Amino acid sequence: MSVIIYISGTEMQVVCGSGTGRKAKIKKCYVVPTPEGSVINGTVMDPDNFIPFVKSFFIGNKLPTNDVSLVVNSSKIAGKQIDLPEMKKDKTLEYIAREFADMDRDVNDVVCAYTPLKGSKEANVTRIYAENVTKAFLGDYIDIFKEAGIKLKGIYSSEGVLIKLVEMTAAQIRRTFVVQVADGNLLSSVVWVEGQFYYFNSQRCFQNVGTAEYFEECSRTIDQIGQFMKASQVTAPIESIYVGGMEKSNAEYYIGRLNENAGGTVIDTFDTGLGRGLPPGTDIQSVLMAVCGLMGREENNNLLKSYEKPAERRDNVTKFRVVLVLAVFILMLAGLIVSLKFKYDAQKKLEALREYNESPAMMVQLMDYEYYSQEVVTAENRRNTLKRMEEAFLTYPALTTPIYKELEKTAKGYVEIEVQSFDADAGQTNFTVSAREVEDVNRFIADLMKSEAFMKVEYTGYSYDESDGIWDVHVSCVMRENVGRGEH
């Protein structure tokens, strides 16, 4: 029987069951408050109180300690969707590490894992949800549970197992939908578009759970997702919105709020048959994230599998190394004796050659040769360097006045643009498009894509200023090679 522990903040969810995937059977469920202040944002801040708490919980409930997996909800675990060529697991992990290089984490001090996803339409392309975390973060959890008498079999992020569970359940019956899962003041949203994973977001709600203001804040995220999809030119309508993680009365109230503006969208509780595997009388929503860990765990998204710790030295290994060192020493001693004989014979030949090479006439010729050879090499290096500099310089795009005017001309009359930065190395310019209507932004981007000056145009984010009613959409454009050269 496997034990899954979910840790995020003030409560710890625990489920006991067997199997993985859609055939999982759950035998026991627990929701217990953690010691006050001991866990913040998925990080154990007070091990002295947390360790006895976990140890006492396992002993008191007679839970097995040899098959325990941990699911952690923490912002310290970074995640992103990546489309990459099909490759072996080791190569995939190397690829993921490079994708997270901008986080300024030491590549030797991080652990990567990934959740394979279905739905990629391109041949030989794999879609994954990749994750990255420091070894120190995982090492702390390993040590904490080891001290509590528990050996962890796996460590998973809440994002990875939630996305996998959605793929195995809701994605089997819907193509474009949203799943929202609440965990206290945390609200996670998973978006599927046309049968493919599209977007994950986790945010903290600032209103008290259960208040009208809290549900208003939750419903605003649905509006924001809809606006973002529209700004990203996603035309498929949202078929369903699934609500999970809330207690029954809160879920019923929130579903009612969503139904007021649902249109043709189906609003339902996120269960999809999961509750049938629970003991009678147990609320699936109270342990939903722990259930995600039981059903959504795989070898590839197990961070512990990628965690490498220095191996302990064993006595038999030490003995083998001692014998090996002695054998090498004997061989080296024999080689030394043979080499001394060769050295003696070579020394005589060396002395004769040295007398010839150090003669005055030979030294003068050598100095002349070295001088003129160095002059030739220096001149050739300078010529090649100047040529390469010229060729490289001409390939860089330039954000010249005509290019900037083309942006203003395309935007004139319906949107405003503000250039934020230009990266000559990457040929990339970043700017903000401001408009009162999302359709004006879409129209500007569509016109911009027709320009021969840009090789790639994409959104990098958006925000909405409620006081002014202005949409600010961040756009990144990659300019084509040589664009702007020769223009003034």
Side-chain angles (χ1 to χ4, degrees):
M1 181 174 66
S2 299
V3 178
I4 309 297
I5 302 174
Y6 170 71
I7 294 176
S8 175
T10 59
E11 290 185 339
M12 180 176 75
Q13 300 177 15
V14 181
V15 297
C16 305
S18 59
T20 57
R22 303 182 71 179
K23 296 182 179 179
K25 295 183 179 179
I26 303 168
K27 298 181 180 179
K28 299 179 181 179
C29 302
Y30 306 90
V31 179
V32 290
T34 55
E36 184 176 359
S38 62
V39 181
I40 299 176
N41 188 27
T43 301
V44 177
M45 308 300 295
D46 186 1
D48 292 339
N49 281 331
F50 185 77
I51 292 172
F53 157 72
V54 173
K55 187 174 183 179
S56 174
F57 175 79
F58 267 72
I59 294 175
N61 292 281
K62 299 179 180 180
L63 300 180
T65 59
N66 58 347
D67 188 3
V68 180
S69 293
L70 177 67
V71 177
V72 182
N73 185 346
S74 174
S75 59
K76 293 184 178 181
I77 305 178
K80 66 167 69 172
Q81 174 191 310
I82 300 176
D83 289 339
L84 72 166
E86 293 182 359
M87 59 184 71
K88 294 183 179 179
K89 181 178 180 179
D90 292 343
K91 295 295 183 181
T92 300
L93 294 176
E94 292 176 5
Y95 189 100
I96 293 171
R98 292 194 296 269
E99 286 291 312
F100 285 96
D102 59 346
M103 294 187 65
D104 295 328
R105 290 178 174 176
D106 185 356
V107 69
N108 296 316
D109 191 40
V110 297
V111 175
C112 297
Y114 61 96
T115 301
L117 299 171
K118 300 177 182 178
S120 179
K121 297 180 180 179
E122 300 181 33
N124 300 322
V125 174
T126 300
R127 172 163 294 182
I128 63 173
Y129 189 77
E131 295 170 308
N132 177 290
V133 68
T134 63
K135 288 184 178 180
F137 182 81
L138 298 179
D140 289 343
Y141 266 118
I142 294 171
D143 295 339
I144 286 171
F145 279 87
K146 182 178 180 180
E147 190 171 343
I150 301 168
K151 183 178 181 180
L152 294 176
K153 192 173 182 179
I155 299 178
Y156 307 85
S157 81
S158 61
E159 296 179 14
V161 294
L162 174 58
I163 291 171
K164 193 63 182 179
L165 180 65
V166 172
E167 181 185 74
M168 293 187 300
T169 55
Q172 301 299 314
I173 57 178
R174 297 289 185 185
R175 291 182 56 80
T176 302
F177 60 91
V178 178
V179 174
Q180 284 196 322
V181 177
D183 177 20
N185 282 91
L186 289 176
L187 185 66
S188 299
S189 300
V190 182
V191 182
W192 234 259
V193 174
E194 293 292 346
Q196 299 183 59
F197 170 74
Y198 180 74
Y199 174 74
F200 177 88
N201 178 57
S202 180
Q203 68 179 50
R204 183 173 296 278
C205 298
F206 296 98
Q207 305 299 329
N208 293 328
V209 176
T211 63
E213 293 79 7
Y214 168 77
F215 294 114
E216 177 64 25
E217 191 173 359
C218 292
S219 63
R220 258 199 315 269
T221 62
I222 296 294
D223 297 334
Q224 293 169 359
I225 289 172
Q227 292 290 346
F228 179 69
M229 292 171 64
K230 190 174 182 180
S232 301
Q233 299 183 344
V234 175
T235 58
I238 297 176
E239 302 171 2
S240 295
I241 299 175
Y242 293 102
V243 177
M246 297 182 181
E247 63 179 41
K248 186 176 181 181
S249 58
N250 286 344
E252 290 175 349
Y253 180 83
Y254 182 46
I255 290 173
R257 286 287 300 271
L258 293 178
N259 272 319
E260 292 176 1
N261 300 308
T265 303
V266 177
I267 315 296
D268 200 358
T269 303
F270 181 52
D271 186 338
T272 61
L274 299 177
R276 291 195 295 270
L278 292 173
T282 304
D283 181 11
I284 178 66
Q285 306 303 328
S286 65
V287 290
L288 182 59
M289 293 308 302
V291 174
C292 288
L294 183 64
M295 301 180 68
R297 56 191 173 137
E298 296 181 342
E299 182 177 354
N300 290 325
N301 62 9
N302 186 352
L303 291 164
L304 194 58
K305 288 288 184 181
S306 301
Y307 178 83
E308 295 179 357
K309 198 171 183 179
E312 297 180 358
R313 300 182 62 181
R314 297 182 175 87
D315 291 340
N316 57 343
V317 175
T318 303
K319 292 178 181 178
F320 172 77
R321 290 178 178 175
V322 171
V323 173
L324 181 61
V325 169
L326 290 175
V328 171
F329 175 76
I330 294 172
L331 290 174
M332 292 181 66
L333 182 60
L336 177 63
I337 296 173
V338 174
S339 64
L340 288 174
K341 176 65 171 60
F342 280 108
K343 180 181 178 182
Y344 177 76
D345 295 337
Q347 190 70 34
K348 291 183 178 180
K349 296 180 181 180
L350 178 62
E351 290 176 359
L353 291 172
R354 183 178 295 149
E355 290 179 2
Y356 173 77
N357 290 333
E358 294 179 355
S359 63
M362 182 60 67
M363 294 299 293
V364 171
Q365 294 180 21
L366 180 61
M367 291 173 64
D368 289 343
Y369 175 79
E370 290 180 348
Y371 173 77
Y372 291 114
S373 296
Q374 186 61 40
E375 287 293 307
V376 172
V377 171
T378 300
E380 183 66 19
N381 287 341
R382 287 174 179 172
R383 187 184 73 85
N384 292 336
T385 299
L386 290 173
K387 185 176 180 180
R388 287 193 299 270
M389 289 175 62
E390 179 185 14
E391 292 173 351
F393 179 77
L394 292 177
T395 64
Y396 279 67
L399 186 60
T400 55
T401 300
I403 299 301
Y404 189 82
K405 287 184 176 179
E406 182 173 346
L407 288 174
E408 291 182 330
K409 181 180 179 181
T410 305
K412 186 175 182 181
Y414 54 94
V415 298
E416 295 181 1
I417 64 169
E418 179 182 353
V419 177
Q420 304 292 337
S421 64
F422 174 68
D423 184 349
D425 289 341
Q428 179 174 309
T429 178
N430 298 311
F431 55 88
T432 300
V433 181
S434 301
R436 293 188 176 276
E437 299 297 332
V438 173
E439 289 76 6
D440 289 343
V441 176
N442 293 335
R443 176 184 166 190
F444 170 71
I445 296 301
D447 292 342
L448 197 61
M449 288 180 176
K450 298 175 183 178
S451 173
E452 296 181 354
F454 302 106
M455 180 173 62
K456 183 179 181 181
V457 179
E458 63 179 11
Y459 295 100
T460 60
Y462 76 96
S463 61
Y464 180 70
D465 188 339
E466 294 184 355
S467 61
D468 295 334
I470 298 296
W471 286 96
D472 290 332
V473 179
H474 304 288
V475 182
S476 174
C477 295
V478 178
M479 301 173 66
R480 296 186 184 277
E481 191 174 278
N482 299 324
V483 166
R485 294 295 173 188
E487 301 176 353
H488 303 282

